[in-house]
Amino acid sequence: MEQRSAQERWERWTRRPLLVLAVVFAVAYAVPIVRTPAGPSLKSACTWIEWGVWAAFAVDYVVRLVLAEQRRVFLRTHWLDLFAVLLPLVQPLRLLRLLSTLLLVGQRARMASQVRLTTYVAGSVAGLLIFGSLAVLSVERESPEGNIRSLDDALWWSFTTMTTVGYGDHAPTTGLGRLIAVGLMLAGIALLGVVTANIAAWFIERFEKDDVEEREQTEAIRTLTDEVRALRAEVAALRAAAPSGSTAPGLPVHVRPPADSVGLRAGAESREKAG
């Protein structure tokens, strides 16, 4: 059994607690938007929860960096995590905290070996639909020209945007709302490409497996046919090399007694009868 490094043990131990904190963050982000009007105390509590969850992911990144055997390699291969940790500090907007937390959760979920690609994609789609709807609702609800006023409208808009259908019955009117729309469209196209590539790879792998099995069976039949032909040629050669009237070595023969022994036996029988 291989010895796990300190970084791998830390990632294994903190994976589930961080996913639970991500759910807590989702609830804290959604409550002030869905529950309107929300009081100042509720908004303040949810804000503190959001910052606390982000801080937990930031501490997780720092600990993994400290425990990494090659820190420069870790920084180079986990640059997106570093970007997500620093993003809310540049400008502490609520949407930036949402984006950074989604990125950090996605990176940690991607590390889990038991999380398959299909499950990861399905979770990404669900998360983008929910958080995209909440984000656009939070910025479009108060817009004088906006037509996304309820959570139902926001969910419908997010679904049509991610699938690149775009019926046009609901559309963002603010700059931030349109920026969210661009992100959802790009994410939808990327996820659709991942799903399509995954399905295509599965079919190709299946066809290649069938081709390999068919080639193995054809090769086995060809080898058996060559062995039978060689055996027939060997038998024919042995028959051709054998003397006339004799059989090939190894074949059954009928041994005839010599002519002299037959004559002696007949004379002895006649004498016995005469006597």
Side-chain angles (χ1 to χ4, degrees), residues 191-211:
L191 290 175
L192 182 62
V194 170
V195 173
T196 304
N198 192 25
I199 295 175
W202 183 83
F203 277 109
I204 292 174
E205 182 181 359
R206 184 63 183 176
F207 291 152
E208 288 181 350
K209 183 178 180 181
D210 294 339
D211 291 341

Side-chain angles (χ1 to χ4, degrees), residues 64-258:
R64 286 190 292 139
L65 175 61
V66 172
L67 296 178
E69 297 179 356
Q70 298 179 354
R71 297 178 183 176
R72 292 184 178 179
V73 176
F74 182 86
L75 288 173
R76 187 169 62 251
T77 56
H78 295 78
W79 63 270
L80 190 59
D81 294 26
L82 180 61
F83 174 77
V85 168
L86 298 178
L87 186 62
L89 297 178
V90 177
Q91 188 169 352
L93 292 177
R94 198 158 182 255
L95 286 177
L96 293 183
R97 290 199 302 272
L98 170 63
L99 178 60
S100 65
T101 305
L102 287 177
L103 289 175
L104 291 171
V105 172
Q107 292 298 314
R108 288 305 307 268
R110 196 191 303 270
M111 294 177 186
S113 58
Q114 69 271 18
V115 178
R116 298 181 181 274
L117 178 62
T118 305
T119 306
Y120 182 78
V121 171
S124 300
V125 170
L128 287 173
L129 279 174
I130 295 173
F131 287 108
S133 303
L134 294 173
V136 77
L137 181 61
S138 65
V139 299
E140 290 291 326
R141 176 184 286 165
E142 305 299 333
S143 176
E145 300 177 356
N147 57 4
I148 302 176
R149 303 293 184 183
S150 64
L151 185 60
D152 295 339
D153 295 339
L155 284 171
W156 172 251
W157 171 82
S158 296
F159 189 82
T160 55
T161 302
M162 282 193 64
T163 55
T164 65
V165 175
Y167 285 106
D169 51 351
H170 295 288
T173 57
T174 63
L176 194 54
R178 290 170 180 170
L179 185 62
I180 295 172
V182 171
L184 278 180
M185 285 186 284
L186 294 177
I189 294 172
L191 290 175
L192 182 62
V194 170
V195 173
T196 304
N198 192 25
I199 295 175
W202 183 83
F203 277 109
I204 292 174
E205 182 181 359
R206 184 63 183 176
F207 291 152
E208 288 181 350
K209 183 178 180 181
D210 294 339
D211 291 341
V212 169
E213 292 178 354
E214 185 177 356
R215 287 196 297 268
E216 290 178 353
Q217 293 177 359
T218 304
E219 186 66 25
I221 293 174
R222 185 182 295 110
T223 302
L224 183 60
T225 303
D226 294 339
E227 291 178 355
V228 171
R229 288 177 180 173
L231 183 60
R232 287 181 177 177
E234 185 178 355
V235 172
L238 290 175
R239 287 179 177 176
S244 178
S246 62
T247 58
L251 298 178
V253 295
H254 297 285
V255 180
R256 296 181 179 180

